Amino acid sequence: MNSIAPVQNAQSEPVQRKPIRFNARSFVTFALAPEAPLTEWFARLDQWTENSPGFFAGRPVVLNLNHFTLDAEEIGDLVDGLADRGIRVFAIEAKDAEDLGPDLPPLLTGARAIPVEEPQPAHRPANTNEQAEPARTVEQKTLIIEAPIRSGQSIFHPHGDVIVLGSVGSGSEIIAGGSVHIYGTLRGRAFAGVMGNPNARIFCQKNEAELLAVDGWYRTADDMEPSSRGRAIQAFLDNEVIWVSALD
Amino acid sequence: MGKVVVVTSGKGGVGKTTSTAALGAALAQTGKRVALVDFDVGLRNLDLIMGAERRVVFDLVNVTQGVAKLPQALIRDKRVDTLFLLPASQTRDKDALTEEGVADVISALREKFDYVFCDSPAGIERGAQLAMRYADDAVIVTNPEVSSVRDSDRIIGLLDSRTLKAERGESVNKHILVTRFDAARAARGEMLNINDVLEILSTPLLGIIPENQGVLRASNIGSPVTLSEPSNAAARAYIDAAKRLEGEDLPVVLPFQRQGFFDRLFGRRAA
C-alpha cells in the first residue's frame, strides 16, 4: 500500500488531519407509552412480556410521555421499573418537559412521520392534532424473503409487508409494520401492524405458530383454537380481538 | 484444494464426534487424505474416539499460536494411513483460538488433504462459530426429537450468516445427518419421523444412522465404527453417507431393525 498517511515525526504534535465524522442517522425504534394508573400499566406489561419473553432484549426503547405529565422523580421511578424488567430506556419523549437532569435518559424531540407504536392503542383517545404528520409520508415497501427463517432469526421490517417463501422456524420471529404472508409453515412468532396498524393481517399456509400479534394484540399457541393448528389460516384484528380463521 | 466440512449440531450429545470419526475414516479407507480437527477446546473427545489419546503431543491451540508446526501436531491413524487427527487442547478454553490462527491452520490443511473435517463443539458461541467459519460443506447432526431439530435449525441460520462463504454471498453446502434413529420408536410416534425432520429443516438428507449398540462399542475401544465393525448397520449407513458426501447419488434407505424383511427404499435422494 502506498503511504498516504500524514508524516508522524514530531512526537509532540498530535495528528489532527483526520476530521471527526458526524453524520445524521435516522433510526426506527419502539416507543413505550405508559398510561395511568402506572401499577395497572406495569401489570399489563408484565403479562405481555410473560407471553413474549425476550421481546425487549437488545431492543432499547424510547419512553413516550407526550400524554402523561410526570415530574423528574416519577419518571426516574418509571425508568427504574422498566430497567427491573430488562427494558432499557435510552431516551424520553415528553412534550412539555424541560431538562430532566443528568440522571435520566436525554429528551428526544422531533419524532415524526411514523405513528408512534402504542402497546394498547384502544385505551387512548383517537389521534388529535398532536400527531404532527400523517403516516403516509413513509414509503411502504414489501420485503420478500426467499429462504426459510431459521430458529433465532428476527426479521424486523417496520414499514410494509413481509412475504416469506418458506417456513418460519420455531424460536424465530417476524415483525412487520404491515401484513405478514408466509408461504410455508409458521412455527415461530409473527407480529403484524407493529407501528400501529390494526388492519394488518397474518397469513400462513400452515399454522403451528407460537404467537400471532396484530397491532399489539396477541394470541399465543395455547389460546388458539386447536382446530386452527396445522391449517392455512389468517389472523386479523376485529374489535380488539385477534381472530384466527381457516382459509381452506 | 481439499474440502472443509464442519460437523455441527448446536445441541450436545447428538453424535458430532462419533460422526466425524466414522465419516472421516470411511472416506480415508477409499484412499482420500483426511484430516479430523477437534475444535472442542477444553472438552476434547475426538482423540478418545480415534484411540489416539496416548499419542497427543501438540494440539490445535499450539499450532494456531505458532508453538508447534502443523506436521508435529498431526497424528497419523495406525489403521488407515491417509487418516490424520489434529487434537484440541484439553487444558485451554475456546478463547485460546483466534480467527486468524484458525484461518492459517485450515488453509494449510486444505493444501495437504482432500477432506478437512472440523468437529464442532456444542453451542452457538465462539467455538462453534470458529469451527464453521471456513467450511465449504456442513454436516448437521440431528437426533429425531424436537429440541435437537430446533437447535439444528438455529445452526443452519448461523451457517447462512456467520461463515466466510455466507459473508461473500456464497452458501455453505448443508446436509442433514440423522443419528440415533430408532425405526420402531418412530413407528410408535415416540420420535419424530424423517419427513418431519426434513420438512422443518428444509435441507437435503445425507443419511440416517440407526440407533445401534455397535456405535457405543466402537467408541469404547477407541475406533470409528466404520473401521471396527464395517458390516454393522450403523457403519454401513455412515459409509453410504460418506459416498453421498463425495457426490454419489445413492438412495437413502430407511433403517429397520429386521434387515431384509422390512428394508425398503425411502423415496428421497440425498443432494
Side-chain angles (χ1 to χ4, degrees), chain B residues 31-70:
Chain B
K32 298 284 175 198
R33 291 178 58 80
V34 177
L36 309 179
V37 186
D38 192 348
F39 271 83
D40 206 346
V41 177
L43 286 170
R44 76 172 182 218
N45 280 155
L46 191 55
D47 56 329
L48 290 170
I49 304 290
M50 295 299 293
E53 72 276 13
R54 297 196 214 171
R55 301 166 62 204
V56 175
V57 182
F58 296 110
D59 56 46
L60 175 63
V61 173
N62 296 145
V63 178
T64 60
Q65 293 180 340
V67 175
K69 292 204 160 48
L70 187 57

Side-chain angles (χ1 to χ4, degrees), chain A residues 148 150-152 169-170 185 187, chain B residues 150 153-154 156 199 201-203:
Chain A
R150 302 293 181 180
S151 181
S170 158
T185 308
R187 298 188 180 86
Chain B
R150 183 158 78 182
D153 196 43
R154 181 87 166 93
I156 294 171
E199 206 259 314
L201 298 177
S202 45
T203 301

